[in-house]
PDB file of all heavy atoms in Angstrom:
ATOM      1  N   ARG A 299      -4.924  -4.133   3.976  1.00 98.00           N
ATOM      2  CA  ARG A 299      -6.211  -4.081   4.692  1.00 98.00           C
ATOM      3  C   ARG A 299      -6.520  -2.633   5.098  1.00 98.00           C
ATOM      4  O   ARG A 299      -7.305  -1.968   4.450  1.00 98.00           O
ATOM      5  CB  ARG A 299      -6.161  -5.038   5.900  1.00 98.00           C
ATOM      6  CG  ARG A 299      -7.531  -5.407   6.415  1.00 98.00           C
ATOM      7  CD  ARG A 299      -8.147  -4.383   7.310  1.00 98.00           C
ATOM      8  NE  ARG A 299      -7.385  -4.173   8.530  1.00 98.00           N
ATOM      9  CZ  ARG A 299      -7.600  -3.162   9.365  1.00 98.00           C
ATOM     10  NH1 ARG A 299      -8.532  -2.262   9.114  1.00 98.00           N
ATOM     11  NH2 ARG A 299      -6.859  -3.005  10.438  1.00 98.00           N
ATOM     12  N   ASP A 300      -5.818  -2.091   6.103  1.00 97.00           N
ATOM     13  CA  ASP A 300      -6.115  -0.715   6.511  1.00 97.00           C
ATOM     14  C   ASP A 300      -5.711   0.250   5.392  1.00 97.00           C
ATOM     15  O   ASP A 300      -6.412   1.227   5.104  1.00 97.00           O
ATOM     16  CB  ASP A 300      -5.354  -0.371   7.805  1.00 97.00           C
ATOM     17  CG  ASP A 300      -6.150   0.557   8.703  1.00 97.00           C
ATOM     18  OD1 ASP A 300      -6.805   1.447   8.150  1.00 97.00           O
ATOM     19  OD2 ASP A 300      -6.125   0.412   9.930  1.00 97.00           O
ATOM     20  N   LEU A 359      -8.666 -10.126   8.660  1.00 98.00           N
ATOM     21  CA  LEU A 359      -9.390  -9.375   9.692  1.00 98.00           C
ATOM     22  C   LEU A 359     -10.826  -9.896   9.790  1.00 98.00           C
ATOM     23  O   LEU A 359     -11.408 -10.313   8.779  1.00 98.00           O
ATOM     24  CB  LEU A 359      -9.386  -7.877   9.360  1.00 98.00           C
ATOM     25  CG  LEU A 359     -10.038  -6.971  10.392  1.00 98.00           C
ATOM     26  CD1 LEU A 359      -9.212  -6.894  11.678  1.00 98.00           C
ATOM     27  CD2 LEU A 359     -10.246  -5.553   9.856  1.00 98.00           C
ATOM     28  N   HIS A 383      -7.526 -12.211  12.867  1.00 98.00           N
ATOM     29  CA  HIS A 383      -7.471 -10.999  13.687  1.00 98.00           C
ATOM     30  C   HIS A 383      -8.909 -10.543  13.969  1.00 98.00           C
ATOM     31  O   HIS A 383      -9.605 -10.085  13.069  1.00 98.00           O
ATOM     32  CB  HIS A 383      -6.694  -9.925  12.897  1.00 98.00           C
ATOM     33  CG  HIS A 383      -6.620  -8.599  13.584  1.00 98.00           C
ATOM     34  ND1 HIS A 383      -6.096  -7.481  12.962  1.00 98.00           N
ATOM     35  CD2 HIS A 383      -6.995  -8.178  14.811  1.00 98.00           C
ATOM     36  CE1 HIS A 383      -6.144  -6.453  13.790  1.00 98.00           C
ATOM     37  NE2 HIS A 383      -6.699  -6.846  14.913  1.00 98.00           N
ATOM     38  N   PHE A 385     -11.612  -8.125  15.920  1.00 98.00           N
ATOM     39  CA  PHE A 385     -11.648  -6.821  16.601  1.00 98.00           C
ATOM     40  C   PHE A 385     -13.061  -6.487  17.058  1.00 98.00           C
ATOM     41  O   PHE A 385     -14.044  -6.914  16.447  1.00 98.00           O
ATOM     42  CB  PHE A 385     -11.102  -5.701  15.692  1.00 98.00           C
ATOM     43  CG  PHE A 385     -12.047  -5.291  14.591  1.00 98.00           C
ATOM     44  CD1 PHE A 385     -12.848  -4.157  14.711  1.00 98.00           C
ATOM     45  CD2 PHE A 385     -12.137  -6.040  13.430  1.00 98.00           C
ATOM     46  CE1 PHE A 385     -13.715  -3.771  13.692  1.00 98.00           C
ATOM     47  CE2 PHE A 385     -13.013  -5.668  12.407  1.00 98.00           C
ATOM     48  CZ  PHE A 385     -13.789  -4.537  12.534  1.00 98.00           C
ATOM     49  N   SER A 425      -8.089  -7.266  18.917  1.00 98.00           N
ATOM     50  CA  SER A 425      -7.940  -5.808  19.073  1.00 98.00           C
ATOM     51  C   SER A 425      -9.173  -5.203  19.739  1.00 98.00           C
ATOM     52  O   SER A 425     -10.277  -5.285  19.182  1.00 98.00           O
ATOM     53  CB  SER A 425      -7.814  -5.133  17.698  1.00 98.00           C
ATOM     54  OG  SER A 425      -6.620  -5.460  17.088  1.00 98.00           O
ATOM     55  N   MET A 427     -11.013  -2.216  19.841  1.00 98.00           N
ATOM     56  CA  MET A 427     -10.954  -0.997  19.017  1.00 98.00           C
ATOM     57  C   MET A 427     -11.163   0.265  19.862  1.00 98.00           C
ATOM     58  O   MET A 427     -11.890   0.248  20.849  1.00 98.00           O
ATOM     59  CB  MET A 427     -11.989  -1.072  17.892  1.00 98.00           C
ATOM     60  CG  MET A 427     -11.786   0.000  16.853  1.00 98.00           C
ATOM     61  SD  MET A 427     -12.411  -0.472  15.241  1.00 98.00           S
ATOM     62  CE  MET A 427     -14.136  -0.204  15.433  1.00 98.00           C
ATOM     63  N   ASN A 453      -3.595  -6.554  20.406  1.00 98.00           N
ATOM     64  CA  ASN A 453      -3.233  -5.330  19.688  1.00 98.00           C
ATOM     65  C   ASN A 453      -3.955  -4.131  20.301  1.00 98.00           C
ATOM     66  O   ASN A 453      -5.158  -4.186  20.550  1.00 98.00           O
ATOM     67  CB  ASN A 453      -3.618  -5.521  18.220  1.00 98.00           C
ATOM     68  CG  ASN A 453      -3.292  -4.318  17.381  1.00 98.00           C
ATOM     69  OD1 ASN A 453      -2.210  -3.749  17.507  1.00 98.00           O
ATOM     70  ND2 ASN A 453      -4.221  -3.917  16.524  1.00 98.00           N
ATOM     71  N   PRO A 455      -5.123  -0.587  19.530  1.00 98.00           N
ATOM     72  CA  PRO A 455      -5.255   0.408  18.465  1.00 98.00           C
ATOM     73  C   PRO A 455      -5.530   1.815  18.977  1.00 98.00           C
ATOM     74  O   PRO A 455      -6.344   2.015  19.871  1.00 98.00           O
ATOM     75  CB  PRO A 455      -6.458  -0.092  17.651  1.00 98.00           C
ATOM     76  CG  PRO A 455      -6.965  -1.323  18.320  1.00 98.00           C
ATOM     77  CD  PRO A 455      -6.370  -1.369  19.689  1.00 98.00           C
ATOM     78  N   THR A 457      -7.234   4.004  17.315  1.00 98.00           N
ATOM     79  CA  THR A 457      -8.086   3.973  16.120  1.00 98.00           C
ATOM     80  C   THR A 457      -8.290   5.339  15.475  1.00 98.00           C
ATOM     81  O   THR A 457      -8.345   5.465  14.258  1.00 98.00           O
ATOM     82  CB  THR A 457      -9.450   3.354  16.506  1.00 98.00           C
ATOM     83  OG1 THR A 457      -9.185   2.063  17.066  1.00 98.00           O
ATOM     84  CG2 THR A 457     -10.393   3.225  15.328  1.00 98.00           C
ATOM     85  N   HIS A 488      -1.213  -0.322  17.030  1.00 98.00           N
ATOM     86  CA  HIS A 488      -1.755   0.006  15.710  1.00 98.00           C
ATOM     87  C   HIS A 488      -2.161   1.483  15.774  1.00 98.00           C
ATOM     88  O   HIS A 488      -3.190   1.820  16.354  1.00 98.00           O
ATOM     89  CB  HIS A 488      -2.965  -0.913  15.470  1.00 98.00           C
ATOM     90  CG  HIS A 488      -3.741  -0.633  14.222  1.00 98.00           C
ATOM     91  ND1 HIS A 488      -3.760  -1.501  13.157  1.00 98.00           N
ATOM     92  CD2 HIS A 488      -4.552   0.397  13.874  1.00 98.00           C
ATOM     93  CE1 HIS A 488      -4.551  -1.027  12.220  1.00 98.00           C
ATOM     94  NE2 HIS A 488      -5.052   0.134  12.627  1.00 98.00           N
ATOM     95  N   HIS A 490      -2.966   5.373  14.272  1.00 98.00           N
ATOM     96  CA  HIS A 490      -3.389   6.197  13.132  1.00 98.00           C
ATOM     97  C   HIS A 490      -2.781   7.585  13.251  1.00 98.00           C
ATOM     98  O   HIS A 490      -2.347   8.011  14.315  1.00 98.00           O
ATOM     99  CB  HIS A 490      -4.912   6.222  13.034  1.00 98.00           C
ATOM    100  CG  HIS A 490      -5.429   4.992  12.335  1.00 98.00           C
ATOM    101  ND1 HIS A 490      -5.593   4.933  10.981  1.00 98.00           N
ATOM    102  CD2 HIS A 490      -5.750   3.766  12.822  1.00 98.00           C
ATOM    103  CE1 HIS A 490      -6.024   3.718  10.652  1.00 98.00           C
ATOM    104  NE2 HIS A 490      -6.124   2.987  11.750  1.00 98.00           N
TER     105      HIS A 490
HETATM  106  O1  KIV B1049      -7.813   1.302  13.613  1.00 89.30           O
HETATM  107  C1  KIV B1049      -8.279   0.258  14.097  1.00 89.30           C
HETATM  108  O2  KIV B1049      -8.749   0.204  15.239  1.00 89.30           O
HETATM  109  C2  KIV B1049      -8.280  -0.924  13.266  1.00 89.30           C
HETATM  110  C3  KIV B1049      -8.635  -2.214  13.931  1.00 89.30           C
HETATM  111  C4  KIV B1049      -9.393  -3.102  13.039  1.00 89.30           C
HETATM  112  C5  KIV B1049      -7.390  -2.851  14.463  1.00 89.30           C
HETATM  113  O3  KIV B1049      -7.934  -0.861  12.113  1.00 89.30           O
END
Side-chain angles (χ1 to χ4, degrees):
R299 199 279 297 168
D300 215 322
L359 183 70
H383 177 187
F385 74 99
S425 292
M427 192 153 79
N453 180 44
T457 304
H488 174 112
H490 278 271

